[in-house]
Amino acid sequence: MELETFKITVVPLREKLLAYTLRLAEGRIDVEDVVQDVFLKLWSMREKLDDYQSVEALAFKVTKNKVLDELKRCRTDSLENIQPSALNLHNMESPEKIAEQHDTTVHIKRLIEALPSLQQTIIRMKDIEGYELSEIAEITGTQAEAVRVNLSRARKKIREQLIQLHNIIRI
């Protein structure tokens, strides 16, 4: 795709992509940066754009993926800042209990990181960031029922692995 064709085909999508990004990200990331990155990505693949039926559909897909990547990066940053009290563990003040809470927090972080990507995103958005299922469904582009199922599976897997870990520690 030549520069003039790119200007005619892609550049007019800017306002739509900004609105779409704003709706997906709800102000949690810089929409201008995301759309700029999308344009750079599309420009870098300009030779292949003619192969696509709809450059607009591709632009929206690239935008959605970029938003999810940015949100995931933000969630990962916030996951590193989780405090044991955020996990609703009992607030017991003995050094042993504090150390146990810290260890449990570390284990939960590792277990979340070991989940499949979609389950990681969903459990972080729901249990750490506090999003509603409908919001998560819209951001991830999945059905609300799929979000509920993935959240349930992620929680179950973490619960089972924590129980297994605690049983090993007691032995």
Side-chain angles (χ1 to χ4, degrees):
M1 179 178 284
E2 297 298 320
L3 176 60
E4 288 305 314
T5 310
F6 188 85
K7 286 181 181 177
I8 293 169
T9 308
V10 178
V11 174
L13 299 174
R14 183 176 184 278
E15 293 303 317
K16 287 182 180 178
L17 294 176
L18 285 169
Y20 181 63
T21 303
L22 187 60
R23 189 169 41 109
L24 288 178
E26 297 179 340
R28 293 181 304 273
I29 57 176
D30 187 348
V31 296
E32 293 281 347
D33 287 348
V34 169
V35 173
Q36 184 66 30
D37 288 346
V38 169
F39 277 6
L40 289 172
K41 172 81 171 170
L42 293 172
W43 177 251
S44 72
M45 57 188 290
R46 68 187 173 278
E47 301 299 324
K48 300 175 188 172
L49 290 180
D50 292 327
D51 297 341
Y52 290 90
Q53 272 185 325
S54 173
V55 174
E56 183 174 348
L58 175 65
F60 276 91
K61 183 170 183 144
V62 171
T63 301
K64 177 181 135 188
N65 290 338
K66 180 65 177 167
V67 168
L68 291 176
D69 288 345
E70 288 297 311
L71 290 173
K72 184 176 181 182
R73 185 183 55 77
C74 292
R75 296 300 177 291
T76 302
D77 293 346
S78 66
L79 181 63
E80 292 170 1
N81 297 323
I82 294 177
Q83 299 299 317
S85 59
L87 298 172
N88 292 327
L89 299 173
H90 298 290
N91 291 328
M92 298 173 200
E93 297 182 19
S94 72
E96 295 84 14
K97 293 297 179 185
I98 292 171
E100 184 179 324
Q101 287 176 344
H102 180 273
D103 290 346
T104 302
T105 302
V106 169
H107 291 303
I108 290 173
K109 287 179 187 178
R110 287 186 185 145
L111 293 173
I112 289 173
E113 290 169 358
L115 291 170
S117 178
L118 181 61
Q119 288 182 2
Q120 273 185 44
T121 301
I122 291 171
I123 200 165
R124 286 177 175 157
M125 291 179 81
K126 179 67 177 158
D127 293 338
I128 296 169
E129 298 296 322
Y131 288 100
E132 296 298 323
L133 293 178
S134 59
E135 294 173 315
I136 297 169
E138 183 178 341
I139 291 169
T140 59
T142 57
Q143 298 293 321
E145 182 63 20
V147 171
R148 190 189 61 73
V149 168
N150 276 293
L151 180 61
S152 175
R153 288 179 182 165
R155 286 175 175 166
K156 181 179 179 185
K157 185 169 187 168
I158 289 172
R159 182 174 33 255
E160 288 172 351
Q161 290 177 341
L162 273 176
I163 290 169
Q164 187 178 44
L165 180 65
H166 283 278
N167 287 339
I168 290 172
I169 291 172
R170 290 180 190 168
I171 295 178

